[in-house]
Amino acid sequence: LQTMSGNEDDWLALKPQEPSPSQCCGSGCKPCIYDVYEKELAQWERAKAKQDKSLLMEKKEQSNNSELNPDTFTAFNISSVEQLTEDTYQYKFELPGNSSLRLSLGQHIVLRGVVNGLEVQRAYTPISPGNAEGYFEVLMKCYEAGLMSQYIKTWKKGDMVFWRGPFGGFPYRPNKHGELLMLASGTGLAPMLPILQSITDDEEDETFVTLVGCFCTFDKIYLKPLLQDLARYWNIRIFYVLSQETSLEKLPWSYQENTYTGRLNEDLMKTIVKSCRRKPFVLICGSSEFNEDMSRYLKAAGIEENSCFVF
């Protein structure tokens, strides 16, 4: 009898743990962490019924091949850390050999962190081109009280970090839309960049793009050199909306004509939509509050819901 209960404890130790709500990033990933748990639980129940622990081994083997996988977390090495603003960082991760993440446009990946013994998961969109070889880069904003931010702030070059994915994405096809209107708030810029870069890299793609980047102040605009380069293309326009700047006089003159102060409101939205060269298809990425406001202003400007995609 002793061996039976000991065996029972062994099996209990191997039972997958049900995720806590903080582990779900809420981005609608398929599979979600809960789907992965259900799958592992079913696998555990089968193995236990057959009293065969080798049936639990398959998930252990998958995660060693350092390739991104939607079902299991894979470790990636941080190769550089760059601070962009007081609370925003750009991290570069190594990929083995010359491999690439092969993300389709605007797809996100999910990060796993452990803070005070609590596991947290959050979704981020790499800003490097999907076909970048040997590395990928992620833009991250750290919040004072954010659980994941506390974990991210401890990162140094050489640390190992766990990711899974890819998920979601915007099914972009060259020349499918006459014009894309991109509305991005802060790090909401991330999913827009790979799409912009794929348009500028493809000489056959004649899609017009109007990117509207919403930031608090001029200093908070991320990746200025990259955005300035993109804005030189004949089919790319970039506007900035700076909610906490009161005058344009202090800004470099090259920014003055395409920058607005205050918030992106209904009137400004109508002006921007009217200035588009063709009827735009709209991509939106920001906080849930920003996304709701934008959808409302777009409706007022005559843009239907089926002409919008929210990341």
Side-chain angles (χ1 to χ4, degrees):
L1 199 110
Q2 187 56 44
T3 53
M4 268 314 284
S5 63
N7 188 18
E8 199 65 19
D9 287 345
D10 280 357
W11 278 102
L12 274 179
L14 293 169
K15 186 176 180 177
Q17 290 267 283
E18 181 168 1
S20 66
S22 73
Q23 289 174 263
C24 175
C25 70
S27 298
C29 308
K30 292 195 174 14
C32 166
I33 181 153
Y34 285 103
D35 300 333
V36 175
Y37 165 70
E38 295 294 335
K39 191 174 135 191
E40 288 179 357
L41 187 63
Q43 191 185 354
W44 177 81
E45 283 166 350
R46 277 198 307 275
K48 184 170 185 277
K50 294 186 173 164
Q51 291 287 306
D52 180 357
K53 286 180 188 159
S54 70
L55 294 174
L56 293 172
M57 290 317 288
E58 63 175 315
K59 77 163 197 278
K60 299 286 184 289
E61 288 162 357
Q62 274 180 354
S63 52
N64 301 343
N65 59 7
S66 70
E67 267 201 12
L68 193 65
N69 176 316
D71 298 299
T72 45
F73 280 96
T74 304
F76 293 94
N77 196 0
I78 299 176
S79 57
S80 77
V81 176
E82 189 187 345
Q83 186 163 359
L84 300 182
T85 67
E86 76 241 32
D87 57 4
T88 309
Y89 298 82
Q90 185 172 341
Y91 295 94
K92 194 170 190 173
F93 298 89
E94 267 171 42
L95 287 171
N98 274 342
S99 64
S100 77
L101 278 187
R102 293 191 294 281
L103 298 190
S104 61
L105 293 170
Q107 283 193 307
H108 64 265
I109 54 180
V110 172
L111 169 69
R112 179 177 70 191
V114 178
V115 186
N116 309 332
L118 181 68
E119 186 178 301
V120 210
Q121 299 194 15
R122 292 283 178 276
Y124 295 92
T125 308
I127 57 171
S128 40
N131 56 0
E133 294 183 350
Y135 76 96
F136 65 96
E137 290 176 310
V138 184
L139 183 64
M140 294 175 159
K141 179 168 178 168
C142 290
Y143 297 91
E144 207 47 55
L147 272 179
M148 187 60 98
S149 300
Q150 291 170 34
Y151 167 59
I152 292 169
K153 280 178 194 160
T154 66
W155 288 359
K156 314 176 292 302
K157 187 179 166 174
D159 285 353
M160 291 299 246
V161 174
F162 288 86
W163 293 97
R164 73 182 176 99
F167 303 104
F170 168 62
Y172 179 74
R173 288 210 313 277
N175 299 313
K176 181 182 175 189
H177 305 288
E179 180 150 359
L180 288 177
L181 171 57
M182 299 177 167
L183 305 173
S185 169
T187 46
L189 194 59
M192 310 301 182
L193 292 173
I195 298 172
L196 273 165
Q197 287 171 317
S198 84
I199 292 171
T200 56
D201 287 349
D202 180 356
E203 285 179 11
E204 307 288 303
D205 193 343
E206 300 190 341
T207 307
F208 283 116
V209 181
T210 298
L211 168 65
V212 183
C214 300
F215 299 92
C216 303
T217 60
F218 181 73
D219 294 336
K220 294 259 174 83
I221 299 174
Y222 312 126
L223 308 168
K224 287 191 190 84
L226 172 63
L227 293 172
Q228 290 291 73
D229 282 345
L230 289 167
R232 292 195 181 98
Y233 285 85
W234 65 274
N235 50 342
I236 312 277
R237 296 189 304 174
I238 301 183
F239 293 118
Y240 300 97
V241 181
L242 306 177
S243 59
Q244 290 170 19
E245 294 280 1
T246 47
S247 104
L248 296 174
E249 286 164 21
K250 298 192 204 72
L251 267 50
W253 66 267
S254 60
Y255 282 86
Q256 290 182 12
E257 61 179 340
N258 57 348
T259 302
Y260 298 92
T261 58
R263 291 199 168 279
L264 176 43
N265 56 22
E266 195 176 301
D267 288 342
L268 182 51
M269 182 71 84
K270 286 179 177 164
T271 305
I272 290 170
V273 167
K274 216 174 272 161
S275 78
C276 288
R277 291 139 294 191
R278 299 174 182 154
K279 191 168 173 41
F281 185 89
V282 190
L283 303 179
I284 307 171
C285 188
S287 64
S288 50
E289 192 185 350
F290 175 84
N291 297 348
E292 283 163 26
D293 288 345
M294 294 307 112
S295 303
R296 210 168 57 245
Y297 303 155
L298 284 163
K299 203 169 170 181
I303 304 285
E304 300 304 315
E305 227 166 276
N306 59 5
S307 296
C308 299
F309 179 90
V310 180
F311 284 99

